[in-house]
Amino acid sequence: MGGRARPALPPEEEEDCPGDDDEGAVVPAMIWSLEEAEMLEEVQTGASSCGATAIITVLRALGVEVPPGAVEACVRTNQRRNQAHLPDYLLSRSVAGATHQQLLTGVSEATEGRVIGRFFPLYPVREVRLRSWLAGWIRRGAVPVATMNLQVAPPEGEEVPDAWHHQMIFGVDTAGIYLTNPIQVEESELVRRRLCSESVLLVRREDILTRLTGGTELSHLNHDQRWKVLNVAGQVKQMIYEMSLGDVALTPWVTIPAAYQSGISLFTLSNSQTATDLLTANELPLKQ
């Protein structure tokens, strides 16, 4: 595809650099130009399908032809059960969409092994110059996908999103990180914050209260130990108590466990040297 730089990096440019990004040290690395991205990105058409959308776009960047429907079938997107009672609805929200593992498995199945991927977690905080690290892999022919918690650091004055998001990264430069679905250029520090999140999801108050019925058994919210640790049942009880007081609305969200893990998945052609390097690369070190 146009805009991709193919040469391998010398060893000194391939390291996982500790510390924060240095604006002056970021060498641009672009898979596509903005114009190419607008033409080539997949447009998300289904609810919770951002993972499959990202993988379809990744395959276009790698020049691998797979029907979008085949990719969607292999990623196996989980849907929200919007008509379910509260316990089952919240359980569906905790897994809605796809995890990074579903993306890795899905791309392997959809391409019959022609494309492989590896996930690098960024939570807890890692020592990495994010843009420099991404640029190094992009120059070597890898395509990144960010798995981010958009509920972290929402734009001032805007409503907090109600989901996590997978977005293919098509470039980095001193302006920031270039993302698809939607096409945007975000400051690296904002992307870093969203990439470093505990695996939790905020569910809006109205989504909780509209699914409460007289027969709702709150003990069913304790699906497993993670749900008990977050005291999801207790959070809902607090909302019910506030509702009994009238217009008091002190608790805007219920925090539930999420299946997703924040970080970067890197995809490349399996018959390349980059694939070997990707599978043998060290994990990003924890920040001390």
Side-chain angles (χ1 to χ4, degrees), residues 111-162:
T111 64
E112 298 180 333
R114 287 176 290 165
V115 174
I116 61 98
R118 179 177 170 187
F119 178 73
F120 291 85
L122 288 173
Y123 179 85
V125 182
R126 308 288 164 151
E127 289 279 7
V128 60
R129 290 179 183 160
L130 183 60
R131 281 178 297 171
S132 297
W133 181 78
L134 287 168
W137 283 111
I138 287 172
R139 288 193 211 100
R140 299 173 68 178
V143 181
V145 170
T147 299
M148 299 186 290
N149 184 357
L150 296 187
Q151 295 181 327
V152 173
E156 186 175 354
E158 294 187 15
E159 185 177 356
V160 177
D162 73 342

Side-chain angles (χ1 to χ4, degrees), residues 2-165:
R4 176 182 288 284
R6 296 277 183 189
L9 293 175
E12 63 270 18
E13 291 185 47
E14 295 176 4
E15 63 179 348
D16 299 336
C17 305
D20 296 327
D21 275 350
D22 179 353
E23 290 287 345
V26 177
V27 178
M30 302 296 295
I31 295 171
W32 293 325
S33 67
L34 280 167
E35 293 76 14
E36 288 170 327
E38 289 171 353
M39 291 187 297
L40 294 168
E41 73 154 348
E42 178 73 2
V43 177
Q44 183 173 331
T45 58
S48 303
S49 65
C50 59
T53 300
I55 293 302
I56 294 168
T57 309
V58 165
L59 295 182
R60 287 178 184 161
L62 290 171
V64 177
E65 294 186 7
V66 177
V71 174
E72 293 168 355
C74 291
V75 170
R76 298 179 178 86
T77 300
N78 300 309
Q79 298 296 330
R80 300 182 184 186
R81 294 189 286 274
N82 288 318
Q83 305 307 314
H85 293 301
L86 183 63
D88 191 46
Y89 168 74
L90 289 181
L91 185 60
S92 77
R93 288 294 307 276
S94 73
V95 299
T99 65
H100 72 268
Q101 187 57 56
Q102 286 172 265
L103 304 192
L104 297 180
T105 301
V107 79
S108 179
E109 291 182 1
T111 64
E112 298 180 333
R114 287 176 290 165
V115 174
I116 61 98
R118 179 177 170 187
F119 178 73
F120 291 85
L122 288 173
Y123 179 85
V125 182
R126 308 288 164 151
E127 289 279 7
V128 60
R129 290 179 183 160
L130 183 60
R131 281 178 297 171
S132 297
W133 181 78
L134 287 168
W137 283 111
I138 287 172
R139 288 193 211 100
R140 299 173 68 178
V143 181
V145 170
T147 299
M148 299 186 290
N149 184 357
L150 296 187
Q151 295 181 327
V152 173
E156 186 175 354
E158 294 187 15
E159 185 177 356
V160 177
D162 73 342
W164 286 50
H165 199 31

Side-chain angles (χ1 to χ4, degrees), residues 185-200:
V185 185
E186 293 283 16
E187 294 181 358
S188 61
E189 184 54 33
L190 176 60
V191 174
R192 177 194 289 272
R193 290 178 65 186
R194 291 174 173 173
L195 283 168
C196 185
S197 170
E198 187 179 358
S199 296
V200 294

